[in-house]
Each structure stands twice: as C-alpha cells, then as structure tokens.
Amino acid sequence: MMLIHCPYCDEKRPEIEFAYAGEAHIVRPNAAEQQAMDDVEWSKFMFIRDNKRGEHCERWWHANGCNMYFNAVRNTVTDKFIKSYKIGQKRPSAAQIQKWKDQANG
Amino acid sequence: MGDFRKTGKGVIDTQQPVSFTFDGKSYSGFKGDTLASALLANGVHLMGRSFKYHRPRGPVGAGFEEPNALVTVTRGKGRMTPNLRATAIEIYEGMMASSQNRWPGLGFDIGAFNNTFSAFFPAGFYNKTFMWPKSFWDKVYEPFIRNMAGLGPAPTEVDPDVYGAVYGHCDILIIGSGPAGLAAALAAAKKDQRVILVDENVNMGGSLIGAGHVSIDEKSASDWVAKALKDLNKADNVVLMTRTSAIGYYHDNFVALAERLTDYIPEAQIGKTREKLHRIRAGKVILAQGAIERPLVFNGNDKPGVMLTSAAQTFLNKYGVAVGKEVAVFTAHDSAYSAAFELADSNVRIAAIIDAREGVSAELISAAEGRGIDVHIGSVISKTGGKKRVRSVEVYEPVHNTQKTIACDALLMSGGWTPSLHLWSQSKGSIKWDEAKGVYLPDLANENCVCIGSCNGDFGIKAALDAGSKAGGGRKVYKTDEPVFGSGQVFDHLPNYIKPSKTKAFVDFQNDVTDKDIKLAVREGFKSIEHVKRYTTNGMATDQGKLSNLNALEIAAKALGKQAPQVGLTTFRPPYTPTTFGTFCGYRTDDLFEVTRKTAIDPWAEAQGAVFEPVGIWRRAWYFPKAGEDMHAAVARECKATRDSLGIFDASTLGKIEVVGPDAAKFMNIMYTNPWSKLGVGACRYGLMLGENGYIYDDGVVGRIAEDRFHVTTTTGGAPRVYRHMEDYLQTEFPELDVWLTSTTEQWSVIALNGPNARKLIEPFVEGIDLSPEAFPHMNVREGKICGVPTRLFRVSFSGELGFEINVPSHYGRAVWETLFAAGEQFDITPYGTETMHVLRAEKGFIIIGQDTDGTVTPQDAGMSWIVSKKKKDFVGKRSLQRSDLVAEGRKQLIGLLTDDPKTVLEEGAHIVADPDQSIPMDMLGHVTSSYWSESLGKSIAMALVKDGFNRMGDDLYIPMEGGVTHKAKVVKPVFYDPKGERLNVV
Ligand SMILES: [Zn+2]
C-alpha cells in the first residue's frame, strides 16, 4: 500500500484514504468551445487519454481525508509518486519534474 | 525411541517426550521437534507422494522451503489443515498428521501407475490432452486432474478459529534472525530507533543454532546467540517475533507478516487467535533471509533419503537427528565437506563424498581422508537404488567410464547456494547475475531496503555478522572461528552413461518436473522463462520454486544456447510462504464480513418481522409478511392498502446532499439537465443528472430551502458517487463558484406516507405549516415541526398517490415513525417495503436508475426529453447529447409491455425479439428492465429497453424463454396507472 502526499493536508497518508481520478490537466471546454467542437474533437476530450508509460500527471481525491482533489506526478512504471500539487497549479514542465526528482534524491 | 537420535546434539527438550500419530501409527519425539525431525528420528523418510507421478518422497529440506513432505494435520471439526510442510510444523502431544496424495495408502498407492506410464505425461501434458471438447472440462477432465494431481483435500467445514489483524510501525524491520539479522538488531538496538526482528522459525539464530563447530568472539555459537537474545529482549525499543513469516513486501516499505500463535499447542485453542496478520510500515527494511541450498539434478535424485546437505546438517544440529547411518554425499560445492565432517564427528558413517568437480582443494581432501572418508573427484551419481528409501548409489566416473555401487541409507546433495531474493524482488529491487558465484544477487534498491548476509552473497558467518552490524548502524567487527565456506561450480548437466530415456532427474520435486521436461518445452518453441515455467509447471508448486528455479533456468538457458542472465528469472510473487485464508480474512467473517448500514427505523421493521434485502451496503425492509403470507401476497396487500388508504415507508436511505452558497443555483444548473434559477423557495423539482458522456447518471427530487440552499436527494445506491461527481466539478472545473457541499444522508430520517389519507394522518401532528392543498401543493417543501420536532416536510410522491416525505433529524426518526404508525390505525396504516415501492413506481412508469437504465441510456432514450433544458448554455452532458450516435435512429428506448396473458409476469432481464420463429441466434431487440404483478390493475406490467421502441407502439413482441416457452407482449407507453395524475390531488 502506497503512501501518498496530500498537498492540502501536507502529509503522507496511506493509499486507502485516496481515490484515483484519471489523467490531470484535461480542461473541460466552456459552453461556446463545446459548441464549436465537432464530434471527433469532442470525443478526444471525452475519451482519449495519454495512457503514459512513465511520468504521468494525474488526479487524486483525498476521499477519506480532507475531501480535496489534487494533482500528482507518478511514474506508471515504478509506481513512485514524484510530487503532488494543488488544483490550479500548471502542468509541470519536464525540467520541473526533473528538479523535483533531484530534490527527492537529496 | 528413535534409533537415529544423537545424544548431546540439538536444541530439543529431551526431558519432554511428545507422542503423535502419522497415518494412524503412533510415534514419539521431543518437545522442539518438527514432524519431519521426529519421523526421521524414528527412521521414517517416506512422508508423501509426488504430485503427478505419485512417486514416494521424503523431506529434501529442513525448513519452510520443503517441497516434498506435505502433510495434513487434523485438530477436530473444521480444523483440518492440508499441505503443511512436515519440516516446518512443530509436534505436540496427541498431534494427528497424515500423508497426502496417495490412495489407499502411502506405501501402496494406485496413482503410482502414472509413474510407470510417465512417458505419456511429458511437459505440457495437461495442455495437450485436456483440450477438446470444451464440454468435457466440467465433468471429465477437471475431476480427473483434481483426483490424480491433487494436493491435500480442502477442508469442507467452517473454520471455527479466530484470526487477527494488526497494524505496526517501526524504524527498522529486520527479516531473518541468523547471524546477519541478529548483528543488525544488536547494532540498531543501541540507537534510538524502534526495531522489529522477525523469524519464521521457533528459535532465533538461524544457522547458528546448534552449530558446534562455530565460535563468535571467543564464545560458542549457542552462547553468543543466547547473549544476543538476552540483550535484545532487554532493549525497550526492540520487538522480537518468532513463528512469523514475512509473506509480502509492498509499496513504501509496507510488509505483511503472518504470525502463527496456537498450532503448536496441544490443547484445543478455539476462541483464541490462531494466526495474526501484521501490516508493518517500516522506515527501513533489512533483509537477512539467508540462502537456500540447491539440489543437484541427477537420475534418481528424488528417492526418500535423498536430501540437501544443509538439511541433514540442520536435522543434526537443531534436532539431534542423524538422517541415516551410512550417508553418501554428492556435491559440487565446498560447503558440503564441512557438513559431512560434522556428521562424521557425530559418529555418522560417511559412505563416500562424490564430487562432480575436477578441482577440489587438497586441504578438503586430506581432511576427509583424515576421517576415513573416500572422496570420488570428477564423479557423479548415475543412478540410485532402493524403492521407498535410497539404498545405494552408483558412482560414475566419466573420464574412465567406470561405475561403482556404494551402499547407503541416505544421500546428501549440494549444488551450491541460492540467495533468497524473494522479498527483495517483491520490493522491486533489481537483481544482477554474479558470474563468479554463479548466483543472482541484489542490485539496485527500489525502497529503503538492504540485503545482508548470504542473501546478499556474503557467505560465511563473519561476513554475515559484519554486514549485519553495518546495516544496523554499527561498526562492530566480529571475530569468528568457523569452517571454510569455500566455493562451488554450477552444472547445468551432469554426465550419465545411461540413455536419457531411461533416466529421471527431477528439477521441481513437488510438481514432478524433470530436466527432460524443460528441454522438451524449449524444443517445442518456448523461449521465455515465464512460458517455460507455465508449460512445465516448474516453480508453480506450493514451494514456488525455492529449490528449483535456478536449476530450471540453467537447463533452459543451455537448451536455448544462451547464458542464464540473458534468459532471466521468473517473477517473485507474494506470499513468500503458503498462508491460510484465515490469516488474510482476519476478523472479517460473519457479522464483520461487511458493514451493514441500517436506518434509525430498521429495528422497528425487524421487530415487525420484515424481510430484508441488501441495497448497496444498506439493508432495507423488502416486505412485511403477515402470518401465512408469501412475498406475492404481502406485496399485493401492501400495494392495495397504500392505494386505498395509507402506506408508510422508510425512505431514510435516500442519498441527501446539502448544496449551499451564493452560487448554489448556478452550480445546480451545471450539474442537472433542468433549470434551477427560477425555482422558488419552498418549491421542489425532479432533477436528472447526466455524466459528461450524456448518459443518465442519477436522479432525485430537489427542494429549494432558501435562495442559497438546496436539499438534494439522490438514489440510495448513487449517493457516494453523486457526491464525488459534484465535488469533482466544483473543485476542479468551477472552483470560482462559492458553494459548499455536505453529505447529509445520515442526518435525516425520511418517513414516506403515501395514500389518500396521508394528509389526514399528519394534520394533527404538524405545527407551523399550512397543509391545505392551496397553501402546500404537490412538489413543495416546508419547514416546521412534526410531533414537536423540526422537520423538512416534502409533498412529493413516488407512488402516484397523495404523498409526503417527512424529514426529521435521524435520532427522532423512530419516535416520529411510531407516533404516526399508532395514530394511523384509524386508516389501517400499512408498512411497506422496497418491493411494494417498486411496484407502485412502476405502475406510474417512474424509472429506477441502474435498473431501467444501464449507463448507456440518454434522457431521450428514457422518454424524458422534457427534462433537458434547451435554453441552458451548459450543463454536464449537454455536448455529448448532440453526438451523432446519441441522436441516431434505432437506439434502445424505454417502453412499457403488457403481456397477452395478463397473469404472466415476465422475467426481468429476459431478452425480446420481433420474430419468435427465427433460428438461433435470434436478433435481440432489447430486454425487460422492470416487471411486476400489479394488484391494483389486476394484470402484470413491465418496462423494457427496446431498439426503436417509440416507433413500435401497439406492436406485438416476443420473449422466448428457456424450455421453449415464448411470451407475447404488446408495446405500450410506460405509464400504467392514473396516467393523468389525478390521485396526487386527493383532498
Ligand atoms: Zn488531504
């Protein structure tokens, strides 16, 4: 059972407190944008995901904790969390992720 | 008394004799014996039959890695445990053990004909033979395989024992208490850290137990261990756990330990915890699991009496048992010599040492000769004699092509050592091949974890002690006097003059996999070691290949023309050791198996004799039978009473979410298909919620309590996901909205009153609310008091009758219910359950989410286009509803069905076709979603999802059932009762 850092509680808590919530940084189009999208574009927003092998930005919900949604970078190969961050924070760049990894490795 | 016991050896208590039975025969051993050591002391080697060929087998190991000596122990009703390793279970007074996989008896076993015909059971035999026809699987193949190739029988009775589960935390978890583990614990104990040291054996000390040839820091090994344990026991920060197996290593140093608590105690321990699962989160894990000796793969290597050299050493040092009187040793590693010398020094005759290697140190040879032991260098064993016990070995010297038969009653083998990497690999630490040692060793750690001692390739006691001290944070350098560990040579193939077709050299003892099977698998095209494993079943037995994996790898690599590291190892999976289901279950059995949610009114329903049904994790009253009534009669009566006068129903399980804040209406507009801004305070509206994919997600009545406050209800089963769905959109897509969501399901008891007399019943009890139809019309909510307690009183109806849903704080629920129920006597008030609720709503054509919808139904499909706002620019699911597939012709649509024979109640889930005469497979149009007997209408009613259903109004459709019966039904609008809704307005 993994330990996951909730950026709102600022604590590592056991995985059972959390629920996975899919890929992060997929912005829901507003009403006007929705209407401007054809079915193919809309289906991409709805269904197409990166399914990335490696470092993946994803959403988690601290369901049995503070009740907040947050984002995290997790390596889908090693299952290691690199960093979790609050909703509203931009998608981290590759350089930023590398920096976090360097920090974690001391 | 066993003939094979050596006085002065072992750590058993010879003052405490223990009697037990094996296959009904009585034997005697000592406290501290395992079943295997006690039987060996009595000269018994034959302890089991192998899996496939039913060959006679004895213990090959002395511990938890044992593949052969599997037994069943019975302790009374429901307390039978199969597949226990005789080498790992302690005897106790009165123990009843029996061998497995034999019939009628261990000595004479009918299944052994498999052995005679073994040419017909090669690798992949099961895959090749039991293939066709498919229908043979259930009745012919599976029972055959189970009977012939079974392990011990599974228990058939309920296990009366109790199992425990605890969480634990520590800074350092040390697994294995041999020299490395003990030295690590001693060093760590001196630091300000919480330490847990576990060992699966009864005694700590590992290879040091009874090791008479070893001294540490000028003390005998036994004295050193005793002092170490005394010091560790004294330290407040150290917990010692014996009889505890580390079975699984999970993320972030989460390790599962299975502790055995009662199985070694003679008296029945019913009611006491038998086994306990510890879930430990450790800061650092130190793996000191040691190494397991590797068997040699040669013809006849599986006879009882053939075992690992280290096993014989353990039986001698730990239990004072000589495994034979005339023992031959076959080795490819130096370490076997010191074991042979220990036996010889304990007056066991060593018949010969046969060494497969050409080059052996002169020192070892002269030490052997000094003890009068013949050493055959560059020689192998070409066959073994004896049937149920090895009686002789044939020594073959390839260079001179000579054979010589030597008599013996035990044969020890040593193919070198395999470091135990199971937990390390489970932690996802990588491994690397060490060419010099011919073994896989730990490489890069994935967790805060280190391997020390022989599981890290640091063979020898001093190396283990020093590595332990360092891992525990110390700097101690130990001084030891110990036999030279030396080195060995890895053989993928041992020469033999006998034709391969006439030999049988086992790699995996329990699954009867031979070297020929592995070569055959490679010849048949299996290149991946994972496929070779599954095809041959090598390493798939209960010992998980602890003895066999490396040998299988060498043989497969050679056959593939590759080096071992290029072929790779199979994956190590938990549990490390076979573990009872009870340990995994822990406390979660019977009443604690699953949480049952009950409403405040539930005890009343139980006292009334209600029959309950599970709805999600809720338990709900299903119907309230009177004496002599079956479900049909009870539901018919409940329906009629409600429509005629008054029914009372516990609706407390409805999900409830309080949506509050200045932007509450805006938020509701996003989450539901219909508009909310103009809903007046005190008014209610039915709300339909979609997923972003446009399909119906949930529904429920919503009341506006104030400008900034909505009382939202959800389906019983849908409450958690609706809440999650709302929080998701609020937090991540619309964080600018000033809204708070609170789950209030448990805060309110909900009493639904339905029937023409509903208003009359509550009138005397209500304060502060004008109940007149003009002041309080249908689909409104008022706040006031009922029976003196606060209420949110909804005038709503899920039955089509005049209805009220009385929300009161949960703790008042039962009192209000009982007051109303008592007063309702004048109206013949009738409690009803979920079944009647379903009939009443189906008569009105109200849908149940998840029953009449299945996650692919749009509002249009359900005939509910009226609820989808055309004006709102955005709501969840809006854009998807415009997708071409969702507006296409020919979608399944929700319609009503009336059977030709009004007495026929269709089966829910039954498929619907247009042409009953079509040949199978027929074109299915859809299925029946809801179907009931309607007492009020005197006929059956049904709802169904049918392709193009709206265009089929008035058509006849067919429902073919199993057994040749076909029902005919007419498509109608799914509103069967009071289509104009006049009954809502009864005054
Ligand atoms: Zn949190």
Side-chain angles (χ1 to χ4, degrees), chain A residues 6 8-9 18 62 65-68:
Chain A
C6 170
Y8 295 94
C9 296
F18 299 85
H62 199 178
C66 67
N67 194 29
M68 296 301 281

Side-chain angles (χ1 to χ4, degrees), chain A residues 1-3 19-21 28 31 34-35 37-39 42 46 59 61 67-69 79-80 87, chain B residues 250-252 254 281 446-447 692-693 723-724 727-728 731-733 874-875 879-880 882-884:
Chain A
M1 186 168 50
M2 288 186 284
L3 290 173
Y20 182 68
R28 184 176 183 271
Q34 287 179 31
Q35 292 308 317
M37 291 165 89
D38 64 20
D39 276 7
W42 180 251
M46 278 299 300
R59 301 169 353 120
W61 181 36
N67 194 29
M68 296 301 281
Y69 279 83
D79 225 357
K80 290 269 182 202
I87 292 291
Chain B
Y250 307 92
H251 288 288
D252 291 318
F254 193 66
R281 183 81 67 179
N446 183 52
E447 304 278 359
E692 196 69 272
N693 57 15
Y723 176 72
R724 175 184 177 164
E727 281 289 0
D728 189 347
Q731 289 184 32
T732 69
E733 298 294 350
D874 192 11
F875 58 82
R879 175 62 186 82
S880 284
Q882 302 160 22
R883 286 173 59 216
S884 53

Side-chain angles (χ1 to χ4, degrees), chain B residues 483-670:
Chain B
V484 175
F485 179 79
S487 60
Q489 190 179 336
V490 177
F491 290 88
D492 60 272
H493 171 78
L494 294 168
N496 202 335
Y497 69 95
I498 305 170
K499 276 200 300 191
S501 62
K502 304 272 184 211
T503 66
K504 219 170 256 154
F506 287 89
V507 180
D508 184 318
F509 293 95
Q510 195 180 119
N511 272 0
D512 275 339
V513 181
T514 65
D515 59 339
K516 285 187 284 184
D517 290 323
I518 293 167
K519 290 173 193 163
L520 177 64
V522 172
R523 274 208 305 282
E524 292 189 356
F526 292 93
K527 291 186 176 129
S528 150
I529 193 70
E530 294 281 3
H531 291 158
V532 170
K533 165 180 168 174
R534 280 156 187 80
Y535 193 58
T536 61
T537 72
N538 191 88
M540 290 173 72
T542 59
D543 65 314
Q544 295 187 56
K546 289 187 180 77
L547 299 185
S548 65
N549 277 349
L550 256 288
N551 281 330
L553 173 65
E554 288 290 341
I555 294 164
K558 173 85 175 192
L560 286 162
K562 289 181 176 174
Q563 297 295 311
Q566 292 171 283
V567 178
L569 263 186
T570 51
T571 312
F572 295 94
R573 292 192 174 84
Y576 172 70
T577 294
T579 305
T580 62
F581 282 111
T583 299
F584 291 112
C585 274
Y587 298 110
R588 291 163 179 250
T589 62
D590 303 313
D591 288 348
L592 300 178
F593 178 67
E594 191 179 53
V595 177
T596 303
R597 271 178 111 179
K598 293 178 188 171
T599 70
I601 296 154
D602 178 278
W604 184 90
E606 186 168 320
Q608 295 285 314
V611 176
F612 291 91
E613 69 164 341
V615 180
I617 60 168
W618 286 101
R619 143 177 137 145
R620 300 194 74 180
W622 195 9
Y623 56 98
F624 290 81
K626 290 195 168 169
E629 275 185 343
D630 61 6
M631 176 166 160
H632 181 83
V635 171
R637 174 181 50 75
E638 290 170 16
C639 287
K640 187 165 187 315
T642 303
R643 296 239 183 262
D644 287 353
S645 176
L646 184 55
I648 185 166
F649 174 67
D650 180 5
S652 303
T653 65
L654 272 180
K656 294 171 273 291
I657 299 168
E658 195 91 339
V659 177
V660 186
D663 297 323
K666 266 191 203 164
F667 181 68
M668 291 296 291
N669 279 336
I670 292 291

Side-chain angles (χ1 to χ4, degrees), chain A residues 15-48:
Chain A
E15 187 184 334
I16 44 163
E17 293 184 8
F18 299 85
Y20 182 68
E23 190 173 332
H25 302 295
I26 294 171
V27 180
R28 184 176 183 271
N30 67 29
E33 288 163 344
Q34 287 179 31
Q35 292 308 317
M37 291 165 89
D38 64 20
D39 276 7
V40 173
E41 288 169 318
W42 180 251
S43 72
K44 279 184 186 156
F45 159 72
M46 278 299 300
F47 307 117
I48 307 301

Side-chain angles (χ1 to χ4, degrees), chain B residues 262-274:
Chain B
T262 60
D263 270 9
Y264 60 94
I265 301 170
E267 298 78 31
Q269 297 288 308
I270 294 176
K272 299 217 173 116
T273 304
R274 179 187 177 208

